[in-house]
Amino acid sequence: MHTPIALPRRLPDMTAPAFLVIAFLSGIAGALQLPTLSLFLSTEVAARPFMVGLFYTGSAVIGIAVSQFLAGRSDKKGDRKRLILQCCLLGAAGCVLFAFNRSYFVLLACGVLLTSFGSTANPQMFALAREHAEQTGREAVMFSSVMRAQVSLAWVIGPPLAFALALGFGFKVMYMMAAVTFVACGALVWLALPSMRKSALKTAAVLEAPRRNRRDAMLLFAACTLMWTCNCMYLINMPLYLIHELHLPEKLAGMLMGTAAGLEIPTMLVAGYVSRRFGNRLLMRIAVGAGLLFYLGLLVFTAPMALLALQSLNAVFIGILAGIGMIYFQDLMPGQAGAATTLFTNTGRVGWIIAGSAAGLIAEIWQYHTVFFVALLMIAGAGYCMWRIRDVDSPLPRDTHFSPLPEGPGNGNVSP
């Protein structure tokens, strides 16, 4: 007669839920700061439209320098988990500075540097999630899409909450709330995320983007940069456009951002699910088409209900760009999850550089409405880039350290 052996009870793996909660909190931290920044600069700091745009440009330049430095470092050595924790704490310090300081140049030099570290926590978290998915055998594309959906969910709540806090209690309370969110995010990172130190990978795959894909990567970078530039100009201009030209309530800006973010969630999930069947190129072209219709609509419609209805097009535009664009870069750069994710993130940062200068200058010389016409032309340029780019074969499976045979599918081969 055999005595049954008591097996230790296994606790459920909470790593994946922790990634989703942290993605949500990091999204909340960003959504509390970005939507009201142009209003904060124009009212609290008393900056002119050109100086508001210049602030965004300077922020993007500093952000690119910080994120590129951290991306190269994180892909070679160290613990990405510790790096994310440090970024969260520095982001919290930046929010405290914004809460209590009203000097334009101090905020630009010191505050932006600190918050740039905070914003870099997000792409590093996605890179860590990709590495964890590869190690545990999860489907990386769908997992990334679900994480992106958490960020979008945060943007459903964040912008209306940001405007409510800023207009009801002041910007000091709003920025302190963002600082507390960063601290909570850092605590969860330290307690719940896995530590994955870098080690030499034993694989036959080349860890750098293949030379024959360089042209396509450049076209993708240009297309994503133009698309993000349009979105950035919209985010900078839209609150001031509603208030100064259309004379609509300030809270409408938060409602528009929240509506778009809410609709982005199903868009991202559907795009991640169908990406294998229809390919990344077709989905990105659909995003460009939605962007063209959205910015054309902004030039035509001014009624609040019409602007709310247009957010469905904006959601398709940004939802596909944010989810599929990142996966496209990762497929082009196997083995460099941190560098690929940060390269995609930097298309957004370059977009902020162009948008800050362009939006501020156009609003200073002409009017806020003119910015949307320029954005429409940029979307057309993105469409030209996406039309020329060739489709990229996704690795089969995407989330594995083991490489297929040379010249086989899944090596980043491209098809016309």
Side-chain angles (χ1 to χ4, degrees):
M1 185 175 181
H2 298 284
T3 303
I5 301 174
L7 297 176
R9 186 178 180 181
R10 294 184 61 183
L11 295 175
D13 183 11
M14 299 302 294
T15 305
F19 270 115
L20 300 181
V21 173
I22 293 168
F24 175 77
L25 288 177
S26 66
I28 286 287
L32 286 174
Q33 301 173 72
L34 184 58
T36 58
L37 181 57
S38 59
L39 187 61
F40 169 77
L41 293 172
S42 62
T43 57
E44 296 286 310
V45 185
R48 300 193 336 266
F50 176 73
M51 298 300 288
V52 171
L54 188 63
F55 192 94
Y56 282 95
T57 299
S59 301
V61 171
I62 295 172
I64 287 177
V66 170
S67 62
Q68 280 300 111
F69 169 73
L70 293 180
R73 184 179 181 86
S74 67
D75 276 339
K76 295 177 181 177
K77 59 181 179 180
D79 185 355
R80 206 185 296 275
K81 170 182 171 178
R82 183 181 295 274
L83 177 61
I84 296 172
L85 171 63
Q86 294 168 346
C87 289
C88 288
L89 296 179
L90 290 173
C95 291
V96 172
L97 185 61
F98 270 86
F100 294 99
N101 192 282
R102 293 297 180 269
S103 170
Y104 179 91
F105 293 103
V106 171
L107 292 175
L108 181 58
C110 300
V112 167
L113 179 62
L114 292 172
T115 55
S116 293
F117 278 97
S119 62
T120 305
N122 194 267
Q124 289 296 326
M125 180 188 61
F126 273 91
L128 181 62
R130 172 112 181 183
E131 292 172 347
H132 176 70
E134 290 174 345
Q135 189 178 74
T136 58
R138 292 179 181 272
E139 218 300 317
V141 178
M142 198 62 198
F143 189 50
S144 295
S145 297
V146 173
M147 286 183 62
R148 276 294 317 178
Q150 298 304 306
V151 178
S152 292
L153 179 61
W155 274 79
V156 175
I157 302 170
L161 179 61
F163 278 95
L165 290 173
L167 298 175
F169 301 95
F171 283 97
K172 183 182 297 184
V173 173
M174 188 202 73
Y175 279 112
M176 288 304 297
M177 180 69 73
V180 171
T181 306
F182 265 126
V183 172
C185 188
L188 276 176
V189 167
W190 184 251
L191 295 173
L193 293 194
S195 294
M196 301 181 69
R197 290 188 173 275
K198 300 296 167 294
S199 59
L201 296 176
K202 297 180 180 180
T203 173
V206 180
L207 297 183
E208 297 180 356
R211 289 181 179 271
R212 57 185 172 183
N213 288 351
R214 186 167 297 176
R215 168 187 173 275
D216 299 284
M218 292 296 293
L219 286 171
L220 181 60
F221 185 90
C224 291
T225 298
L226 288 171
M227 294 165 78
W228 281 124
T229 299
C230 297
N231 184 61
C232 295
M233 291 198 299
Y234 171 74
L235 292 176
I236 295 171
N237 253 7
M238 189 261 290
L240 303 178
Y241 169 65
L242 295 178
I243 296 169
H244 298 307
E245 289 192 18
L246 300 185
H247 306 290
L248 295 173
E250 295 96 330
K251 64 180 182 180
L252 179 61
M255 293 175 60
L256 294 178
M257 293 184 186
T259 300
L263 295 174
E264 283 172 23
I265 297 175
T267 302
M268 289 180 186
L269 295 177
V270 171
Y273 180 76
V274 304
S275 63
R276 283 185 178 274
R277 180 174 180 181
F278 296 103
N280 295 327
R281 180 177 62 175
L282 176 60
L283 292 173
M284 291 292 286
R285 287 178 176 179
I286 291 174
V288 170
L292 281 170
L293 294 175
F294 173 65
Y295 286 99
L296 183 61
L298 289 177
L299 293 173
V300 176
F301 301 107
T302 57
M305 291 306 298
L307 294 175
L308 282 170
L310 285 174
Q311 299 310 310
S312 59
L313 293 170
N314 192 25
V316 174
F317 174 52
I318 298 301
I320 295 177
L321 171 62
I324 299 303
M326 180 175 65
I327 299 301
Y328 218 160
F329 274 105
Q330 289 179 342
D331 286 345
L332 282 170
M333 302 174 64
Q336 290 182 302
T341 306
T342 303
L343 183 62
F344 169 72
T345 302
N346 279 347
T347 63
R349 294 188 185 277
V350 174
W352 280 115
I353 293 177
I354 301 171
S357 304
L361 190 61
I362 293 169
E364 186 91 14
I365 298 175
W366 290 288
Q367 53 185 351
Y368 295 108
H369 187 260
T370 312
V371 175
F372 301 135
F373 179 76
V374 176
L376 186 65
L377 296 178
M378 289 185 175
I379 288 288
Y384 173 76
C385 292
M386 286 308 306
W387 189 262
R388 292 187 60 199
I389 197 172
R390 295 173 291 176
D391 207 2
V392 179
D393 291 338
S394 299
L396 299 174
R398 278 183 176 115
D399 43 325
T400 179
H401 283 305
F402 299 100
S403 301
L405 293 174
E407 305 304 327
N411 287 304
N413 295 327
V414 292
S415 56

